[in-house]
Amino acid sequence: MAADSTRLLDLVGDFVTGQVDSKATDVANGVKSGQFSILQLVEALGLSLTSSESQTRGRGVQLLSQVLEECYTSLSEREVEVLVAFYENRLKDHYAITPHVLHGLKALAKCTVLPKGSAVSILKSLFQDVHVQSLMLAERSCVYNILISLMESREEAERHVQSHGLANEFDCIPNHAELKGLGPDFVFGFVQAVDGERDPRNLLLAFQIARNIIHRGYNLSQFTEELFEVTSCYFPIDFTPPPNDPHGITQEELIQALRAVLTGTAQFAEFLLPLIIEKLDSDMQNAKVDSLQTLAACASVYGHKELSDFLPSLWSSIRREVFQTASESVESAGLSALRALTSCLCRSVLTSNSEDSLHVFLDLVLKDCQHHLCEPDLKLVWPSAKLLQAASGASYRASLIVTAVVLPTLLEQYSSRTQCAQRRTLLEVVQGFIQPTASSWPAEGEETVLQPFRKSLCSVVFSALAESNASLQITAAKVLTTLGQQPGVLAQPDVEMAVDHLSRLVLEEHDAKVSLAVAECAGSLSRLHPAPFASRMIPKLKQEIFSEPTVREDDFDLLPGQSRDAGRQRCIMALASVSTQPSLVRESAPVLLQMLAAAHTGMSCCRSLSFASAPFAAHHHCKASVLPCLGSRIFSVEEVVSVCCSLQRIADQTPNTEEMGHFFHDVVIPRLLTLSLHAALQGANESGHSSPLIEEAVLSAIVPVINTACAALQTELATTMAAQAVYLFLDGDVSFLPENDCPSKIQLLRMTKALLLRYHPLSAVLTDKVFSLMSDCLLASQAADCFELLMSDSPDVLNRSCHADVRIMYRQRFFAENSGKIVQGFNCAEQGKKSVYLKALSHIVNNLPRQVQLTELPSLLPVLLEALSCPDQAVQLSTLCCLQPALLDPPPALSTQLEALFSRLLPLTASPSMKVRIASLRCVHALSQLPEHMVLPFRAQVLRALASPLDDKKRLVRKEAVLARGEWFLIGSPGGR
């Protein structure tokens, strides 16, 4: 113990007199470890704390405060009581000691064992003995943090008591509600402390304290106005953070913190509302936006009593800003403020002897805005409409009042106007009023506000859809969409008439924007009313798609968007748009699949039905005879791609139900597979028609359809479909395809690659099938080309971007397992069939990583040299591309094969293929880098052979010949390499 005391005295002396700041850490560590206590530290500091030198006293207090900041959690209640008394006394000491005292009090304020009465004692000492605004920034921050800590700890204790039912057991929570017991004195002390604060970091702390005072029910009493004034002097916030501000304080943080204070209590209403009205007269846009947003925030706290005296002035300011401003942000804030005010008035409770404040306010709004809706030039119709819509959207009650006055006026104006532009404007305004908000939506059992105007609205919309003006039609479609989304507005006859209008626009209207608006409207309505679309629209679209075109004289004058093909494209898009319910998908998807079948066969519609409709009849929702024979119609590649995109959209938007899963599993996916396989395995038919389904654009569009459809299947159906696809390509099992309608020989290449990528055991079985095809006289060359697809990266499917399971080094594994088979087949094959194996080997080796090529080159070199003699130019080029990188770093085995290599390379420099000539010249160039004694015997032969390419008709060939001959000319020459 004596040794510990001595060490403590030494540490204190070093810190106080020796000015060694690091000793504070050593003391704190000693206290934490229990080597000595806080009271022992105070005793060791005795002479320092009672010194006549203020600097010595300051160092003593500084050491004690720094240790407390590290060890305040381990203090006992008795220790805290003694230290609080000590620090309160030191607040009266020299001003230079005050910063250290504040840091000590900040640590003590965080203690959970703060004795009863200590919080009040600390606050009184601070408010009495410290002039906060004369302190430096860090010390002012200390004062604010002390207040926050004391409020948090006291309030947490009070909430603990209330939540555990201990309201009468005050002894268990010291100083219960003692800060609130200070009453207005606490508010006055805070006002004095914060008055004049300018630093944004400290302002955030000050606003937090003020918000706590308001939200936690402190008694403001006669200091309500003072608290408002000391905080509102910063409103609106005008703060721009300096560049590279390390503190990261933003203007928005300050705005939100201050707004929470100003809008926190209705007691501020009589001061804040006049201030907002005043600030709205400012020329600064940010001040206007902040004022309007603050007003909106007030409305959620205030009642109609606080607002009533200021409503005319507030409305006048909001109306002025919306009418006159060119800023969208000011306009948006003004409309939000009006909506919030109206919503606040809607919450007012009516009594028998009080006027309806909501009616009074809305009468004021309607009086100032309604007449603008009737002006001949409609100059102020939009600002007025936006204001009325904002008030109407505040609540169901407000919507009833505004709609009852405004909608009859707008509908009457629409009927009296003849110009399409004015009618469109009025219709757009109507749309804003009939679009319900979350606040104005009728509650259960309440009638929609549009019910009295249902017939008039439908009449206006249908007349607009019948107009020839595109803008008016687009607006009418949007209004119809809005009407359809509200239950009870459209009766069954109205829906049927709407479907007829939409169908007519799809078939006749050429404007792309109108078509898009009609498609969106049809999609929205079909979700709620599928039956009329299934019975009225889809049959008309079928009729148009498969109808026989008639050539008229004016057809040659049609613009591209007005062509017959464009009409079919619109029908295809509309079929996808309305396919939002299972009943509609069962009607639309067969039509699109029939289009694919007709495009594939190139037959007339009735002939293609025997190929297309039978699979649909197997499904219990489809009929065998869907369409009558309507003439011949062959579809273009663009139309087929559009059909695939529509099918993908249907698969993507259809509800993921078991019923739809079976439909896609039993009908859509098998039919797509059948058509794709037919197109791939069949050439042109007897009439010379070639299926568009073999085009790359169409295949790239079919893949996402199958992918999306399979993704929507339930687990059991997805498993079944995957197994069926595997057996289809592995065993040729076509039992799940419509009418088993598929040739017996099916391309298995893609399935082989899919299994190869993931090391599946069945990949070897399928690879052997590819090898067996190399002995087929007709398919040998194509089978050899298959190895290029197996070894190369796929840009469209079977890659990582399509989430394929691609294992690392699958190429090396495939080479190791199959190179021996190719070499063996080459050795055993007849002379005329060896080239097939050479082509396969060159495809495999050419796609291997370079390091693997160098490793395997010695064993494969004889076969590769033989490949250079193959008459197939594709084999020659592939082999040269494989050899050229290897010749830059040749293996030792190459030295014994140079004569054979030159005898095959040099003739290729005169090949008919430019690519072969270039590749062979590059190989000859690479050979010039071998040791001189190895290549010098071939110098003369090479120079003679390179003379001819110097006069080649292709510049790229001449360029490579010059480079190669220059290097070979220097071999063995004086001054050469």
Side-chain angles (χ1 to χ4, degrees):
M1 293 296 293
D4 291 341
S5 300
T6 303
R7 183 171 182 271
L8 179 59
L9 289 172
D10 292 340
L11 292 173
V12 169
D14 292 341
F15 183 90
V16 174
T17 60
Q19 303 291 317
V20 182
D21 292 344
S22 62
K23 298 300 181 181
T25 303
D26 296 336
V27 176
N29 291 334
V31 174
K32 289 179 181 179
S33 64
Q35 191 174 358
F36 25 81
S37 65
I38 287 292
L39 294 182
Q40 288 176 326
L41 174 60
V42 173
E43 292 176 359
L45 285 169
L47 295 177
S48 302
L49 298 176
T50 58
S51 172
S52 60
E53 295 291 333
S54 61
Q55 183 178 2
T56 303
R57 297 198 306 276
R59 289 292 290 180
V61 175
Q62 181 182 358
L63 174 59
L64 181 58
S65 297
Q66 289 183 6
V67 173
L68 286 177
E69 287 179 335
E70 295 289 332
C71 308
Y72 68 89
T73 56
S74 60
L75 295 177
S76 65
E77 182 176 342
R78 176 57 182 163
E79 289 173 331
V80 172
E81 183 178 7
V82 172
L83 291 169
V84 167
F86 166 75
Y87 275 107
E88 288 176 353
N89 181 268
R90 281 294 179 265
L91 283 175
K92 300 177 175 63
D93 204 338
H94 194 272
Y95 68 89
I97 302 176
T98 301
H100 308 308
V101 175
L102 293 174
H103 283 283
L105 287 173
K106 177 184 173 183
L108 293 174
K110 299 177 184 178
C111 291
T112 57
V113 293
L114 199 63
K116 182 178 180 179
S118 296
V120 173
S121 177
I122 292 173
L123 288 176
K124 287 184 176 180
S125 298
L126 284 175
F127 293 152
Q128 180 178 347
D129 299 325
V130 179
H131 185 258
V132 178
Q133 291 305 312
S134 66
L135 301 174
M136 299 297 288
L137 185 150
E139 282 67 52
R140 300 200 304 275
S141 175
C142 249
V143 173
Y144 301 141
N145 277 302
I146 291 171
L147 295 180
I148 291 173
S149 296
L150 291 176
M151 294 179 75
E152 292 292 339
S153 60
R154 298 304 97 198
E155 293 301 321
E156 286 177 3
E158 182 178 354
R159 287 194 295 271
H160 176 79
V161 168
Q162 294 175 350
S163 63
H164 288 78
L166 304 175
N168 296 322
E169 301 179 21
F170 293 153
D171 292 339
C172 67
I173 302 296
N175 312 308
H176 172 68
E178 59 189 35
L179 296 187
K180 288 185 180 180
L182 285 173
D185 291 342
F186 178 76
V187 179
F188 180 69
F190 167 72
V191 169
Q192 283 189 316
V194 78
D195 190 14
E197 182 60 63
R198 297 179 60 84
D199 184 82
R201 289 164 287 179
N202 285 341
L203 282 176
L204 285 177
L205 298 174
F207 292 156
Q208 181 181 348
I209 298 170
R211 184 171 66 249
N212 290 343
I213 290 174
I214 293 170
H215 290 178
R216 297 180 179 179
Y218 282 73
N219 183 15
L220 305 183
S221 189
Q222 69 269 30
F223 298 114
T224 301
E225 185 173 1
E226 283 74 8
L227 180 61
F228 175 80
E229 291 296 337
V230 81
T231 52
S232 65
C233 64
Y234 303 101
F235 179 81
I237 295 290
D238 183 19
F239 167 70
T240 302
N244 303 320
D245 181 19
H247 307 289
I249 296 177
T250 64
Q251 182 184 29
E252 185 62 22
E253 283 183 288
L254 290 167
I255 289 175
Q256 295 297 333
L258 177 58
R259 186 174 297 159
V261 175
L262 298 180
T263 63
T265 174
Q267 297 180 62
F268 284 168
E270 59 179 311
F271 314 115
L272 179 59
L273 294 176
L275 178 63
I276 290 176
I277 296 171
E278 175 189 341
K279 297 300 181 182
L280 284 174
D281 292 331
S282 170
D283 295 330
M284 296 178 60
Q285 179 175 311
N286 289 341
K288 292 177 181 289
V289 173
D290 193 0
S291 299
L292 290 168
Q293 290 177 345
T294 302
L295 176 60
C298 291
S300 63
V301 178
Y302 296 174
H304 72 282
K305 292 182 180 179
E306 289 79 17
L307 294 172
S308 57
D309 293 340
F310 303 97
L311 285 176
S313 299
L314 290 171
W315 160 242
S316 178
S317 298
I318 292 173
R319 181 192 61 193
R320 182 187 69 242
E321 296 305 325
V322 175
F323 274 11
Q324 298 179 3
T325 187
S327 167
E328 291 185 4
S329 58
V330 173
E331 180 187 86
S332 176
L335 296 175
S336 298
L338 176 59
R339 188 178 299 108
L341 287 175
T342 308
S343 179
C344 174
L345 298 176
C346 291
R347 297 192 298 269
S348 60
V349 180
L350 297 178
T351 59
S352 57
N353 58 353
S354 65
E355 63 177 358
D356 187 346
S357 56
L358 176 63
H359 265 286
V360 173
F361 181 67
L362 290 181
D363 286 344
L364 188 63
V365 175
L366 288 166
K367 177 184 176 182
D368 290 343
C369 295
Q370 184 182 2
H371 65 278
H372 292 304
L373 304 179
C374 306
E375 293 177 353
D377 56 357
L378 300 177
K379 183 178 180 181
L380 293 176
V381 66
W382 273 117
S384 300
K386 290 178 180 178
L387 288 167
L388 289 169
Q389 289 165 7
S392 176
S395 71
Y396 176 72
R397 185 176 159 209
S399 181
L400 280 173
I401 297 172
V402 175
T403 303
V405 177
V406 172
L407 268 187
T409 302
L410 291 173
L411 296 175
E412 180 183 353
Q413 285 295 308
Y414 181 89
S415 301
S416 64
R417 305 281 177 163
T418 57
Q419 296 183 14
C420 289
Q422 294 179 340
R423 283 191 161 196
R424 185 198 69 224
T425 299
L426 290 168
L427 207 55
E428 289 173 346
V429 173
V430 168
Q431 184 187 5
F433 281 102
I434 66 174
Q435 179 68 57
T437 64
S439 302
S440 64
W441 192 270
E444 185 176 356
E446 292 180 331
E447 191 179 70
T448 173
V449 298
L450 303 180
Q451 189 62 33
F453 314 102
R454 183 180 61 79
K455 293 184 178 180
S456 300
L457 285 170
C458 290
S459 175
V460 166
V461 170
F462 294 151
S463 68
L465 289 174
E467 295 283 349
S468 59
N469 184 271
S471 299
L472 191 57
Q473 291 172 336
I474 293 172
T475 305
K478 294 178 179 178
V479 175
L480 181 58
T481 301
T482 305
L483 290 175
Q485 292 172 348
Q486 301 183 53
V489 175
L490 294 182
Q492 186 66 20
D494 299 326
V495 176
E496 293 176 354
M497 183 171 290
V499 173
D500 290 341
H501 277 289
L502 295 176
S503 301
R504 178 185 56 81
L505 290 174
V506 170
L507 299 176
E508 300 177 3
E509 185 54 53
H510 307 301
D511 188 279
K513 293 182 179 178
V514 174
S515 299
L516 181 61
V518 169
E520 292 177 353
C521 179
S524 176
L525 291 178
S526 65
R527 289 183 175 87
L528 302 173
H529 310 281
F533 284 90
S535 61
R536 305 176 79 89
M537 175 179 277
I538 293 181
K540 293 179 181 178
L541 299 181
K542 292 178 184 177
Q543 181 80 14
E544 173 65 18
I545 289 173
F546 290 103
S547 63
E548 182 177 0
T550 57
V551 180
R552 298 178 303 181
E553 292 182 0
D554 58 349
D555 286 353
F556 300 100
D557 299 326
L558 293 175
L559 297 174
Q562 300 173 330
S563 66
R564 301 295 184 272
D565 290 345
R568 292 199 300 272
Q569 292 278 15
R570 294 195 300 272
C571 293
I572 294 169
M573 182 178 69
L575 281 174
S577 298
V578 301
S579 301
T580 55
Q581 296 292 344
S583 60
L584 293 170
V585 174
R586 291 194 298 270
E587 296 291 335
S588 61
V591 178
L592 296 174
L593 291 173
Q594 290 166 19
M595 289 186 67
L596 293 180
H600 166 62
T601 60
M603 301 176 186
S604 64
C605 177
C606 61
R607 290 177 62 195
S608 69
L609 283 180
S610 63
F611 180 77
S613 61
F616 308 141
H619 196 274
H620 66 278
H621 294 299
C622 301
K623 300 178 180 179
S625 179
V626 182
L627 291 173
C629 178
L630 297 171
S632 62
R633 171 64 62 92
I634 298 178
F635 300 100
S636 65
V637 172
E638 291 75 15
E639 289 174 317
V640 174
V641 171
S642 179
V643 169
C644 294
C645 293
S646 294
L647 282 171
Q648 182 189 6
R649 180 180 173 188
I650 291 173
D652 190 45
Q653 70 187 13
T654 301
N656 189 12
T657 62
E658 183 177 357
E659 177 188 3
M660 281 291 94
H662 279 287
F663 179 77
F664 281 104
H665 177 271
D666 298 341
V667 177
V668 178
I669 300 175
R671 181 32 107 211
L672 287 174
L673 288 174
T674 300
L675 291 173
S676 301
L677 291 172
H678 266 282
L681 299 177
Q682 293 178 358
N685 59 20
E686 59 275 8
S687 64
H689 170 73
S690 179
S691 174
L693 271 65
I694 63 174
E695 298 289 337
E696 182 177 352
V698 176
L699 291 173
S700 298
I702 289 178
V703 169
V705 179
I706 299 178
N707 187 24
T708 305
C710 290
L713 297 178
Q714 286 75 25
T715 304
E716 182 179 352
L717 292 177
T719 304
T720 304
M721 178 55 64
Q724 290 171 339
V726 170
Y727 290 122
L728 169 66
F729 291 99
L730 185 62
D731 299 329
D733 182 2
V734 296
S735 60
F736 78 101
L737 297 180
E739 295 183 339
N740 300 336
D741 191 5
C742 193
S744 58
K745 291 185 178 180
I746 300 175
Q747 280 190 340
L748 50 84
L749 192 56
R750 291 285 182 181
M751 182 60 67
T752 306
K753 184 174 179 66
L755 297 176
L756 170 64
L757 292 177
R758 56 175 302 179
Y759 295 169
H760 197 281
L762 287 176
S763 63
V765 178
L766 295 180
T767 303
D768 289 341
K769 288 198 172 188
V770 177
F771 275 116
S772 67
L773 294 176
M774 293 175 68
S775 60
D776 189 303
C777 297
L778 297 177
L779 299 177
S781 179
Q782 291 88 337
D785 288 331
C786 289
F787 289 95
E788 169 68 17
L789 178 62
L790 292 178
M791 295 294 288
S792 61
D793 292 323
S794 300
D796 48 1
V797 293
L798 294 180
N799 54 50
R800 286 188 172 89
S801 62
C802 293
H803 310 289
D805 184 4
V806 181
R807 303 295 179 89
I808 60 173
M809 298 196 303
Y810 77 90
R811 293 183 178 89
Q812 293 90 314
R813 177 169 178 162
F814 183 81
F815 173 79
E817 292 177 351
N818 297 286
S819 59
K821 298 177 183 178
I822 295 180
V823 174
Q824 182 182 359
F826 170 79
N827 293 329
C828 298
E830 300 175 3
Q831 188 61 34
K833 296 183 178 180
K834 289 183 179 289
S835 61
V836 176
Y837 294 93
L838 294 175
K839 179 189 286 190
L841 181 63
S842 64
H843 285 320
I844 295 175
V845 176
N846 201 35
N847 284 283
L848 290 174
R850 182 183 175 188
Q851 191 60 41
V852 179
Q853 290 178 348
L854 294 176
T855 304
E856 301 294 337
L857 188 60
S859 61
L860 297 175
L861 191 56
V863 182
L864 293 176
L865 291 177
E866 187 69 25
L868 293 178
S869 302
C870 178
D872 191 329
Q873 293 178 359
V875 177
Q876 294 172 356
L877 180 60
S878 179
T879 306
L880 289 169
C881 293
C882 173
L883 281 175
Q884 195 258 339
L887 294 177
L888 298 175
D889 187 13
L894 186 64
S895 60
T896 61
Q897 301 284 346
L898 284 179
E899 184 172 356
L901 183 58
F902 279 110
S903 65
R904 288 166 172 79
L905 276 179
L906 295 178
L908 293 179
T909 60
S911 170
S913 170
M914 183 189 73
K915 293 183 178 179
V916 173
R917 297 200 300 274
I918 292 174
S920 62
L921 288 169
R922 288 175 177 171
C923 288
V924 173
H925 186 182
L927 287 171
S928 67
Q929 306 304 313
L930 294 177
E932 186 172 310
H933 71 278
M934 294 175 60
V935 297
L936 186 58
F938 304 99
R939 178 176 180 271
Q941 179 185 358
V942 172
L943 291 177
R944 284 194 304 271
L946 293 180
S948 177
L950 291 175
D951 294 328
D952 196 280
K953 61 181 179 180
K954 295 295 185 180
R955 181 184 61 84
L956 294 177
V957 177
R958 296 196 301 272
K959 177 183 175 182
E960 295 295 337
V962 168
L963 293 175
R965 192 171 187 273
E967 290 295 331
W968 277 93
F969 186 80
L970 294 175
I971 296 174
S973 301
R977 66 180 184 83

